[in-house]
Amino acid sequence: MVRNLVILGGSSHPQLTRLICEDLGIPPGAVLLSKFSVGETRVEINESVRGKDVYILQSGGGKVNDHLMELLILISACKTASAKKVTAVLPLFPYSRQSDIPYNKTGAPLVKASNNYNRPDFANSYTFESTPQTPHALRPQSNDISADVLNKSLNRISLEDAEISPAQKARLSQYEKDTSKQSENSEGVNGYFSGRTRVSSTASMTNGVNGTHEENAGASQKSSTHKFAPRPGYKEWVAQAGTLIADLLTCAGADHIITMDLHDPQYQGFFDIPVDNLYGRPLLKKYIHQNIPDYKNSVIVSPDAGGAKRATAIADSFGMDFALIHKERRPTRITERQNATMMLVGDVSNRLAILIDDLADTSNTITRAAKLLKKEGASKVYALVTHGVLSGEAIERINASALDKVVVTNSIDQRENCKLCPKLEVLEVGHVFAEAIRRVHHGESISTLFQYD
């Protein structure tokens, strides 16, 4: 029996909340979770949490946005009710795959203009009495960067920095020719009008020919001076979801975060509060040791380069062979979304291949990897995944794939998926989170839960 501890479960995974409370020997906290007819989330805590340690369990599967808002309201309600400490327990961290994307020069192409400010002698000739290039009613307007010059410069830089196909090179060269023609037409029109003297409005009205010429020239100048538009393949800046979610949880009042197998470890750096990232690796290793006969002759396979470190940790601890599936993506300047070519690095012929990954959402990666492994001669293919999101057509894809078995944890509710997929097997993680909660509540070290073995 643990005193001064309250476990509140969200609506995402009530079964896991019940299992954790059974391990701790306490009943779940009394909380009312519902929705108004308009769709707003309603939260009522029906027991006192004053001066207690509150642990709110909410996973990131299912309706992620609704569950996230429910979690934020629960945290705020506990802080308002004078809870001593509020810890958010997130078996699957929401938005964990949308960490902040660093700046990339291909995302925001800029060209520095050659003006009077960046001349070599500008620093010596500048004085505080110098007049900046600002448009004035009685002075000519300063030179600026026209859209045509900017377009030509961007095209030249992209051709010099990247290797493109002959077809794309021809297309870009034609684009440059069209741009240069528009620039010449614009210069010709400007020169034509700069050499002419002004005519009065009466003369324009009496001379219909001159008026027609002026209207045509003005229309030509307006059409040639167009706004800058990004070429196909231009990658715009994306939202910083990682920092946003961290700020939301912190501002709501969370004092501590407990999660498992973050997709991107840098997520912990977005928080100003402690974050404990537990590992599901011991559960996967225990399953391999107890349920796969002659596992020493099997091969641990990483479905992509990002999970190589995770897979090699298991392979090294068991002394097993390791293989890697390399995804070769070569995006073009026209589109950056292409199906990657998968290549196997290693030997799996006549052996059991065990795919190790942290998350399976649409299951496209593991099913394509299983197809490649069977093509390379693997006798069986197992997939061991920590978080089985299995959204969209994932279940149908797994049933029709070359996978012989898919092992996931119950960090997300898998009861409906087990009914639809006979290949699916679920591992229990409730005791891991229960032990973490007990140790944190009593001020004990949880470093043993971080160990791989």
Side-chain angles (χ1 to χ4, degrees), residues 16 19-21 23 283 410 427-436:
L16 184 60
L19 293 173
I20 292 176
C21 291
D23 288 343
L283 298 173
N410 66 335
L427 303 179
E428 176 63 44
V429 297
H431 63 280
V432 179
F433 285 100
E435 182 64 17

Side-chain angles (χ1 to χ4, degrees), residues 81-100:
S82 302
K84 180 181 179 181
K85 181 182 178 182
V86 179
T87 302
V89 183
L90 306 167
L92 171 60
F93 198 93
Y95 289 84
S96 61
R97 289 179 294 175
Q98 296 190 39
S99 57
D100 294 0

Side-chain angles (χ1 to χ4, degrees), residues 110-111 152-162 333:
L110 298 175
V111 176
K152 289 191 292 183
S153 302
L154 290 176
N155 292 332
R156 185 176 65 255
I157 291 175
S158 62
L159 287 173
E160 292 175 355
D161 294 345
R333 288 290 173 177

Side-chain angles (χ1 to χ4, degrees), residues 4-10 52-58 71 74-76 78-79 83-91 249 252-259 273-276 278 433 436-442 446:
N4 293 327
L5 175 65
V6 178
I7 304 292
L8 299 179
K52 297 182 179 180
D53 286 348
V54 181
Y55 293 81
I56 303 175
L57 181 72
Q58 187 79 293
L71 172 64
L74 272 170
I75 294 173
S76 178
C78 292
K79 296 297 287 188
K84 180 181 179 181
K85 181 182 178 182
V86 179
T87 302
V89 183
L90 306 167
L249 291 172
D255 301 300
H256 191 192
I257 304 292
I258 299 177
T259 185
I273 57 178
V275 178
D276 289 328
L278 306 179
F433 285 100
I437 291 173
R438 187 192 68 80
R439 287 174 177 265
V440 171
H441 178 67
H442 290 293
I446 61 173

